[in-house]
Amino acid sequence: SQGLYTGYSGEPEKAIQLLTEGIGLIDESRDPNLPAIAIHNQIVCLVDCGLFREARQILSENQTRLEKHGDKINQLKVKWLSGRIEAGFHQLSQAEATFAAAQKGLEAAGLEFDAAIAGMDLAAVLMAQGRMDEAAARVEAAGRVFIALRIPREALAAVLMLQNAFEK
């Protein structure tokens, strides 16, 4: 929990350390789902730090465990995380397809906020490919979701990303 909340507070490097230590302390017999949750959070923090090689390795080593853990939503979140790693390696076509599939699945599951964030990741990939009109449409759609959900920080990020797309 400390690692997770440290990551939320904007300290992903420290979060990685706490999560790595915490994974070693987990008694899987008491909570069989907890290791998968902690590993997922560890990978998220590695990606946030730009440590894509390490993130890909841990994801590869734990792919089956992460996909078996929980339900369809967890599988979608693992897919989304895979897209972030692909984007980090500049595998833009793969990342685009992965983000689009994750976003569609998250929308179908009723997870509007997560789908909008995945849409922002997709918009960043589209911008990197020079597809500004498509990126702008994704950002606008995400911004509408953030505003509807009254999430000002993400709404501001959407607006700033949209401005950047139009300026380019």
Side-chain angles (χ1 to χ4, degrees):
S1 292
Q2 276 185 324
L4 176 64
Y5 290 108
T6 300
Y8 286 161
S9 70
E11 297 181 73
E13 295 90 357
K14 186 174 179 183
I16 293 166
Q17 177 187 354
L18 290 167
L19 286 162
T20 302
E21 291 171 9
I23 289 168
L25 300 173
I26 294 172
D27 180 357
E28 198 166 349
S29 67
R30 290 183 59 193
D31 189 348
N33 293 326
L34 191 55
I37 294 166
I39 291 166
H40 183 272
N41 292 336
Q42 180 186 37
I43 297 168
V44 168
C45 290
L46 287 165
V47 169
D48 289 346
C49 289
L51 300 171
F52 303 111
R53 183 167 277 108
E54 293 87 341
R56 182 175 58 189
Q57 180 180 343
I58 293 172
L59 179 58
S60 176
E61 291 168 359
N62 294 281
Q63 185 97 29
T64 303
R65 173 185 231 166
L66 291 171
E67 288 179 350
K68 284 185 179 180
H69 161 72
D71 53 15
K72 180 76 173 166
I73 291 170
N74 289 323
Q75 292 171 6
L76 290 166
K77 289 184 177 185
V78 170
K79 178 180 283 297
W80 179 12
L81 188 52
S82 296
R84 292 188 64 204
I85 293 169
E86 292 163 354
F89 280 110
H90 305 287
Q91 298 169 329
L92 301 180
S93 296
Q94 289 175 285
E96 177 186 350
T98 302
F99 285 142
Q103 182 182 25
K104 183 177 180 180
L106 292 164
E107 285 172 348
L111 299 174
E112 294 176 43
F113 176 79
D114 290 328
I117 298 289
M120 294 289 288
D121 288 333
L122 177 55
V125 167
L126 293 170
M127 286 176 64
Q129 294 174 328
R131 296 161 56 192
M132 297 305 173
D133 290 342
E134 293 173 73
R138 295 285 180 166
V139 171
E140 286 177 17
R144 285 192 299 274
V145 170
F146 298 143
I147 290 166
L149 294 174
R150 296 180 185 214
I151 303 171
R153 183 182 67 152
E154 283 77 6
L156 178 59
V159 171
L160 292 175
M161 193 170 180
L162 182 58
Q163 277 182 318
N164 186 27
F166 287 129
E167 287 172 8
K168 288 184 178 186

